[in-house]
Amino acid sequence: MPAYTAVNGTYLFLLYSGYVNPEIMMRPRNHNAVYVPSSDALNLLKREETVIVTRVGNENHKAFPDSQMLRPHVARIGKTADGRQATMTYCGLTNLGMAFELENLPDGKEVELVPLTQLENNLILMDKSTGHVGQQINGIDETALLKKIGGESYHETNRRPPEEVVKGAKLHGSEVGKEIPTWRMKLGDFVRTFPDGEVFINDYKMYPDIKKPIKTIYDKLMDYIFEKSVYFQATNPKPV
Protein backbone atom coordinates (compact mmCIF):
# COMPACT_ATOMS: atom_id res chain seq x y z
CA MET A 1 0.00 0.00 0.00
CA PRO A 2 2.71 2.60 0.80
CA ALA A 3 4.40 1.90 -2.56
CA TYR A 4 1.06 2.21 -4.38
CA THR A 5 0.35 5.50 -2.63
CA ALA A 6 3.82 6.83 -3.45
CA VAL A 7 3.49 5.90 -7.13
CA ASN A 8 0.07 7.52 -7.42
CA GLY A 9 1.21 10.58 -5.52
CA THR A 10 4.21 10.98 -7.82
CA TYR A 11 2.00 10.58 -10.89
CA LEU A 12 -0.47 13.20 -9.67
CA PHE A 13 2.31 15.66 -8.86
CA LEU A 14 3.90 15.19 -12.29
CA LEU A 15 0.47 15.69 -13.88
CA TYR A 16 -0.07 18.84 -11.80
CA SER A 17 3.34 20.32 -12.58
CA GLY A 18 3.10 19.47 -16.28
CA TYR A 19 -0.46 20.50 -17.09
CA VAL A 20 -2.02 22.45 -14.22
CA ASN A 21 0.94 24.55 -13.08
CA PRO A 22 3.71 24.18 -15.68
CA GLU A 23 5.74 26.93 -14.03
CA ILE A 24 6.90 24.31 -11.52
CA MET A 25 8.27 22.08 -14.28
CA MET A 26 9.52 24.87 -16.54
CA ARG A 27 10.62 27.62 -14.19
CA PRO A 28 11.52 30.65 -16.33
CA ARG A 29 14.30 33.02 -15.44
CA ASN A 30 12.78 36.45 -15.96
CA HIS A 31 13.96 37.98 -12.70
CA ASN A 32 16.81 35.77 -11.53
CA ALA A 33 18.76 34.71 -14.60
CA VAL A 34 22.29 33.57 -13.73
CA TYR A 35 25.21 34.39 -16.01
CA VAL A 36 28.85 33.40 -15.65
CA PRO A 37 31.81 35.09 -17.35
CA SER A 38 33.12 33.50 -20.53
CA SER A 39 36.31 32.68 -18.67
CA ASP A 40 34.37 30.39 -16.27
CA ALA A 41 31.96 28.79 -18.74
CA LEU A 42 34.29 26.01 -19.89
CA ASN A 43 34.66 24.85 -16.29
CA LEU A 44 30.95 24.04 -16.32
CA LEU A 45 30.07 23.09 -19.90
CA LYS A 46 31.61 21.30 -22.85
CA ARG A 47 33.50 23.32 -25.42
CA GLU A 48 31.57 21.65 -28.29
CA GLU A 49 28.13 22.58 -26.98
CA THR A 50 26.15 24.88 -29.26
CA VAL A 51 24.94 28.20 -27.93
CA ILE A 52 22.53 30.90 -29.13
CA VAL A 53 24.23 34.28 -29.11
CA THR A 54 22.83 37.79 -29.05
CA ARG A 55 23.57 41.27 -27.78
CA VAL A 56 21.24 44.04 -26.67
CA GLY A 57 21.99 47.66 -25.92
CA ASN A 58 25.45 48.34 -24.59
CA GLU A 59 25.64 45.03 -22.75
CA ASN A 60 28.16 42.29 -23.41
CA HIS A 61 27.41 39.49 -25.84
CA LYS A 62 25.47 36.72 -24.13
CA ALA A 63 25.35 33.02 -24.97
CA PHE A 64 22.49 30.64 -24.19
CA PRO A 65 23.47 26.94 -24.29
CA ASP A 66 20.80 24.50 -25.44
CA SER A 67 21.27 22.35 -22.35
CA GLN A 68 20.74 25.33 -20.03
CA MET A 69 17.65 26.72 -21.79
CA LEU A 70 15.87 23.36 -22.13
CA ARG A 71 13.95 23.56 -18.84
CA PRO A 72 13.50 27.31 -18.22
CA HIS A 73 12.51 28.00 -21.87
CA VAL A 74 12.62 31.73 -21.07
CA ALA A 75 15.44 33.90 -19.72
CA ARG A 76 15.80 37.66 -19.39
CA ILE A 77 18.65 39.02 -21.50
CA GLY A 78 18.71 42.62 -20.30
CA LYS A 79 17.67 46.06 -21.52
CA THR A 80 17.86 47.46 -25.03
CA ALA A 81 19.42 50.87 -25.76
CA ASP A 82 16.00 52.53 -25.38
CA GLY A 83 15.23 50.77 -22.10
CA ARG A 84 12.98 47.94 -23.27
CA GLN A 85 13.45 44.53 -21.80
CA ALA A 86 14.75 41.72 -23.99
CA THR A 87 13.97 38.05 -23.48
CA MET A 88 15.40 34.84 -24.91
CA THR A 89 12.94 32.02 -25.62
CA TYR A 90 13.86 28.42 -26.43
CA CYS A 91 12.00 25.36 -27.68
CA GLY A 92 13.86 22.08 -27.28
CA LEU A 93 11.59 20.11 -29.61
CA THR A 94 12.40 22.40 -32.54
CA ASN A 95 15.88 23.32 -31.26
CA LEU A 96 14.86 26.93 -31.80
CA GLY A 97 16.03 29.96 -29.87
CA MET A 98 14.37 33.32 -30.54
CA ALA A 99 15.00 36.61 -28.74
CA PHE A 100 12.33 39.30 -28.47
CA GLU A 101 12.33 42.97 -27.56
CA LEU A 102 9.17 43.50 -25.51
CA GLU A 103 7.21 46.71 -25.15
CA ASN A 104 5.58 47.50 -21.82
CA LEU A 105 1.85 47.02 -21.40
CA PRO A 106 -0.45 50.08 -21.59
CA ASP A 107 -0.46 50.32 -17.76
CA GLY A 108 3.34 50.43 -17.72
CA LYS A 109 3.89 46.87 -16.52
CA GLU A 110 6.54 44.79 -18.24
CA VAL A 111 5.49 41.85 -20.38
CA GLU A 112 6.63 38.68 -18.63
CA LEU A 113 6.69 35.67 -20.93
CA VAL A 114 6.40 32.22 -19.39
CA PRO A 115 6.30 28.77 -21.04
CA LEU A 116 2.78 27.31 -21.14
CA THR A 117 2.82 24.16 -23.29
CA GLN A 118 3.76 22.98 -26.78
CA LEU A 119 1.65 22.78 -29.91
CA GLU A 120 2.72 21.15 -33.17
CA ASN A 121 6.17 20.66 -31.67
CA ASN A 122 6.72 24.31 -30.84
CA LEU A 123 6.65 26.34 -27.64
CA ILE A 124 3.52 28.22 -26.57
CA LEU A 125 4.24 31.34 -24.51
CA MET A 126 1.97 33.30 -22.21
CA ASP A 127 2.24 36.79 -20.80
CA LYS A 128 1.82 36.37 -17.05
CA SER A 129 -0.01 39.68 -16.54
CA THR A 130 -2.58 39.58 -19.33
CA GLY A 131 -2.90 35.85 -20.04
CA HIS A 132 -2.26 36.48 -23.74
CA VAL A 133 -0.80 33.46 -25.50
CA GLY A 134 1.24 33.08 -28.66
CA GLN A 135 3.44 30.61 -30.48
CA GLN A 136 7.18 31.16 -30.42
CA ILE A 137 7.92 30.27 -34.03
CA ASN A 138 5.69 32.94 -35.59
CA GLY A 139 5.93 35.52 -32.82
CA ILE A 140 2.21 36.31 -32.96
CA ASP A 141 0.10 37.24 -29.95
CA GLU A 142 -2.82 34.98 -30.86
CA THR A 143 -5.12 36.47 -28.21
CA ALA A 144 -4.71 39.98 -29.63
CA LEU A 145 -5.08 38.67 -33.18
CA LEU A 146 -8.39 36.98 -32.36
CA LYS A 147 -9.72 40.26 -30.97
CA LYS A 148 -8.75 42.00 -34.20
CA ILE A 149 -10.72 39.52 -36.33
CA GLY A 150 -13.71 39.61 -33.99
CA GLY A 151 -13.75 36.21 -32.34
CA GLU A 152 -12.86 34.49 -29.10
CA SER A 153 -11.58 31.40 -30.88
CA TYR A 154 -10.65 30.29 -34.37
CA HIS A 155 -13.45 27.75 -34.08
CA GLU A 156 -15.93 30.65 -33.97
CA THR A 157 -14.49 32.18 -37.13
CA ASN A 158 -14.38 28.75 -38.86
CA ARG A 159 -10.95 29.61 -40.21
CA ARG A 160 -7.40 30.53 -39.43
CA PRO A 161 -6.98 34.10 -40.73
CA PRO A 162 -5.32 34.42 -44.15
CA GLU A 163 -1.63 35.26 -44.33
CA GLU A 164 -2.21 38.89 -45.29
CA VAL A 165 -4.31 39.41 -42.13
CA VAL A 166 -1.65 37.75 -39.99
CA LYS A 167 1.07 39.94 -41.50
CA GLY A 168 -1.06 43.03 -41.00
CA ALA A 169 -1.68 42.11 -37.38
CA LYS A 170 2.03 41.69 -36.74
CA LEU A 171 2.54 45.24 -37.94
CA HIS A 172 -0.16 46.66 -35.73
CA GLY A 173 0.38 45.43 -32.20
CA SER A 174 -0.40 41.72 -32.32
CA GLU A 175 3.17 40.46 -32.25
CA VAL A 176 4.73 38.93 -29.15
CA GLY A 177 7.59 41.37 -29.61
CA LYS A 178 10.17 42.60 -32.08
CA GLU A 179 12.59 39.81 -32.89
CA ILE A 180 16.24 40.43 -32.01
CA PRO A 181 18.96 38.93 -34.24
CA THR A 182 20.64 35.79 -32.91
CA TRP A 183 23.19 33.36 -34.25
CA ARG A 184 24.64 30.00 -33.26
CA MET A 185 28.20 28.95 -32.57
CA LYS A 186 30.14 26.49 -30.41
CA LEU A 187 30.70 27.50 -26.81
CA GLY A 188 34.46 27.27 -27.27
CA ASP A 189 34.29 29.67 -30.21
CA PHE A 190 32.11 32.07 -28.21
CA VAL A 191 34.59 32.11 -25.32
CA ARG A 192 37.47 32.80 -27.70
CA THR A 193 35.61 35.44 -29.74
CA PHE A 194 33.94 37.24 -26.83
CA PRO A 195 36.26 36.98 -23.81
CA ASP A 196 34.16 39.63 -22.04
CA GLY A 197 30.92 37.80 -22.83
CA GLU A 198 28.53 36.07 -20.45
CA VAL A 199 26.98 32.60 -20.56
CA PHE A 200 23.54 31.77 -19.18
CA ILE A 201 23.44 28.99 -16.60
CA ASN A 202 20.30 27.23 -15.41
CA ASP A 203 20.85 27.52 -11.67
CA TYR A 204 18.46 24.74 -10.66
CA LYS A 205 20.23 22.35 -13.03
CA MET A 206 23.84 23.29 -12.30
CA TYR A 207 23.56 24.38 -8.66
CA PRO A 208 21.02 22.05 -6.97
CA ASP A 209 19.96 22.96 -3.44
CA ILE A 210 21.00 19.99 -1.28
CA LYS A 211 18.92 21.43 1.55
CA LYS A 212 15.81 20.69 -0.54
CA PRO A 213 16.27 17.02 -1.55
CA ILE A 214 12.74 16.46 -2.89
CA LYS A 215 13.01 19.46 -5.19
CA THR A 216 16.47 18.37 -6.31
CA ILE A 217 15.28 14.84 -7.11
CA TYR A 218 12.30 16.26 -9.00
CA ASP A 219 14.56 18.52 -11.08
CA LYS A 220 16.90 15.62 -11.89
CA LEU A 221 13.91 13.56 -13.02
CA MET A 222 12.58 16.40 -15.18
CA ASP A 223 15.98 16.99 -16.74
CA TYR A 224 16.10 13.31 -17.69
CA ILE A 225 12.59 13.36 -19.18
CA PHE A 226 13.25 16.53 -21.17
CA GLU A 227 16.57 15.28 -22.51
CA LYS A 228 15.06 11.94 -23.56
CA SER A 229 12.13 13.71 -25.26
CA VAL A 230 14.49 15.90 -27.26
CA TYR A 231 16.59 12.87 -28.22
CA PHE A 232 13.46 11.01 -29.35
CA GLN A 233 12.36 14.02 -31.39
CA ALA A 234 15.75 14.22 -33.08
CA THR A 235 15.93 10.51 -33.97
CA ASN A 236 12.33 9.58 -34.82
CA PRO A 237 10.04 10.72 -37.65
CA LYS A 238 7.01 10.64 -35.37
CA PRO A 239 6.54 13.91 -33.40
CA VAL A 240 6.61 13.94 -29.61
Side-chain angles (χ1 to χ4, degrees), residues 74-116:
V74 175
R76 184 70 58 85
I77 302 170
K79 295 283 188 179
T80 63
D82 57 359
R84 295 176 181 173
Q85 60 121 326
T87 296
M88 177 65 72
T89 67
Y90 178 78
C91 176
L93 293 177
T94 48
N95 193 34
L96 178 64
M98 295 180 69
F100 295 100
E101 175 186 317
L102 305 174
E103 293 189 19
N104 287 349
L105 298 169
D107 61 3
K109 290 183 180 178
E110 290 186 342
V111 172
E112 184 176 341
L113 298 180
V114 296
L116 184 62

Side-chain angles (χ1 to χ4, degrees), residues 20-165:
V20 180
N21 189 358
E23 199 166 350
I24 296 176
M25 180 183 289
M26 305 177 288
R27 302 194 290 280
R29 285 299 181 247
N30 283 307
H31 304 290
N32 46 3
V34 175
Y35 293 91
V36 298
S38 285
S39 57
D40 295 339
L42 295 180
N43 296 327
L44 299 169
L45 303 169
K46 294 180 180 179
R47 181 179 297 273
E48 296 76 22
E49 180 163 357
T50 57
V51 297
I52 306 150
V53 183
T54 192
R55 186 188 188 194
V56 297
N58 297 318
E59 299 190 8
N60 293 328
H61 287 83
K62 291 184 177 179
F64 297 82
D66 294 80
S67 65
Q68 303 303 303
M69 287 295 296
L70 184 59
R71 281 278 303 286
H73 290 76
V74 175
R76 184 70 58 85
I77 302 170
K79 295 283 188 179
T80 63
D82 57 359
R84 295 176 181 173
Q85 60 121 326
T87 296
M88 177 65 72
T89 67
Y90 178 78
C91 176
L93 293 177
T94 48
N95 193 34
L96 178 64
M98 295 180 69
F100 295 100
E101 175 186 317
L102 305 174
E103 293 189 19
N104 287 349
L105 298 169
D107 61 3
K109 290 183 180 178
E110 290 186 342
V111 172
E112 184 176 341
L113 298 180
V114 296
L116 184 62
T117 184
Q118 66 98 4
L119 178 65
E120 297 177 346
N121 287 340
N122 186 239
L123 175 65
I124 300 296
L125 297 159
M126 180 182 74
D127 172 40
K128 203 169 182 179
S129 297
T130 63
H132 283 207
V133 297
Q135 196 156 18
Q136 178 209 31
I137 198 167
N138 59 22
I140 294 176
D141 180 337
E142 301 282 354
T143 308
L145 180 57
L146 277 169
K147 289 181 179 179
K148 285 182 179 294
I149 63 176
E152 295 183 0
S153 71
Y154 293 123
H155 178 72
E156 287 182 358
T157 64
N158 294 316
R159 63 185 176 89
R160 180 71 165 82
E163 189 63 25
E164 58 268 20
V165 174

Side-chain angles (χ1 to χ4, degrees), residues 202-221:
N202 177 7
D203 55 294
Y204 55 87
K205 176 182 177 69
M206 304 301 291
Y207 308 121
D209 188 348
I210 59 175
K211 295 181 180 179
K212 299 178 180 179
I214 294 177
K215 184 179 179 182
T216 297
I217 292 171
Y218 171 80
D219 282 333
K220 293 292 184 184
L221 177 60

